[in-house]
Amino acid sequence: DAGVIQSPRHEVTEMGQEVTLRCKPISGHNSLFWYRQTMMRGLELLIYFNNNVPIDDSGMPEDRFSAKMPNASFSTLKIQPSEPRDSAVYFCASRRSGQINSPLHFGNGTRLTVT
Amino acid sequence: GESVGLHLPTLSVQEGDNSIINCAYSNSASDYFIWYKQESGKGPQFIIDIRSNMDKRQGQRVTVLLNKTVKHLSLQIAATQPGDSAVYFCAENRGSNAGGTSYGKLTFGQGTILTVHP
């Protein structure tokens, strides 16, 4: 089991640039989640998908943030334009929905620094 | 200006001792709870979960206790080892169906830093 795979592990970019974070969920998992972690706010849910369909994006901070899931094995989180306050660790997680005892499995995150 | 971050509770124990990490949750309608361990540079790792119709669940070296009356959750680690040093998060699911599409909207606690001294 390869686990949830995120790329890149680290991203450093300048304010105003577009940033794209990528995630490959665990094979067979049909729910995918994007979280953001900062020292100020802890772990926050941004958006989640079920069967590739966005279910709840109420955690997405602004219109500068967008997420897509074109197929069951790939999702992207895009920030355009990026700002310094977007600096955080972004986690992707997946699970198998429909099973009560199916916990979230997290990737190792993308550490984003916007200068 | 000076940034103010979360001040995480800390627990420092000696190797071999038992550790108890506590968590207060906020929503009496929460029906599913999970403990995660996060090591530096890694994502949260599932440890153990418990549903609201239970008050205790045991795993390997870990036990989770749930007290719904006071909305309190605890994680007990037996014979704590240096490799257990990490930040521990409790998370609550506020949906009514832990197996359905509402699950996953986990709300995480701020975390507790556990340090195990050899």
Side-chain angles (χ1 to χ4, degrees), chain A residues 9 39-40 48 56 95 98, chain B residues 4 6 38 41 99 101 103 105:
Chain A
R9 285 300 313 271
M39 284 300 296
M40 291 287 289
Y48 78 96
D56 187 340
R95 72 178 288 267
Chain B
V4 178
L6 295 173
Q38 187 174 22
T101 57
Y103 173 75
K105 292 195 69 172

Side-chain angles (χ1 to χ4, degrees), chain B:
Chain B
E2 182 180 351
S3 64
V4 178
L6 295 173
H7 291 282
L8 302 186
T10 60
L11 177 64
S12 185
V13 301
Q14 291 294 127
E15 182 178 3
D17 287 351
N18 295 332
S19 302
I20 300 176
I21 300 171
N22 296 303
C23 177
Y25 63 93
S26 56
N27 192 329
S28 57
S30 292
D31 59 357
Y32 182 57
F33 305 86
I34 309 176
W35 279 100
Y36 283 91
K37 171 187 180 183
Q38 187 174 22
E39 297 173 282
S40 180
K42 296 185 178 180
Q45 177 186 3
F46 170 81
I47 302 174
I48 192 168
D49 56 3
I50 188 168
R51 299 193 67 196
S52 59
N53 61 355
M54 303 171 67
D55 53 22
K56 180 179 180 179
R57 191 163 187 224
Q58 288 185 289
Q60 188 176 16
R61 282 203 306 121
V62 294
T63 300
V64 56
L65 298 177
L66 175 63
N67 184 331
K68 294 182 287 294
T69 302
V70 295
K71 292 188 285 188
H72 184 267
L73 195 67
S74 68
L75 176 71
Q76 300 178 0
I77 305 174
T80 317
Q81 302 166 1
D84 295 327
S85 295
V87 180
Y88 288 80
F89 294 93
C90 64
E92 60 180 303
N93 176 61
R94 297 182 175 184
S96 59
N97 180 359
T101 57
S102 63
Y103 173 75
K105 292 195 69 172
L106 294 178
T107 299
F108 284 81
Q110 64 180 27
T112 296
I113 301 173
L114 174 65
T115 303
V116 183
H117 300 283

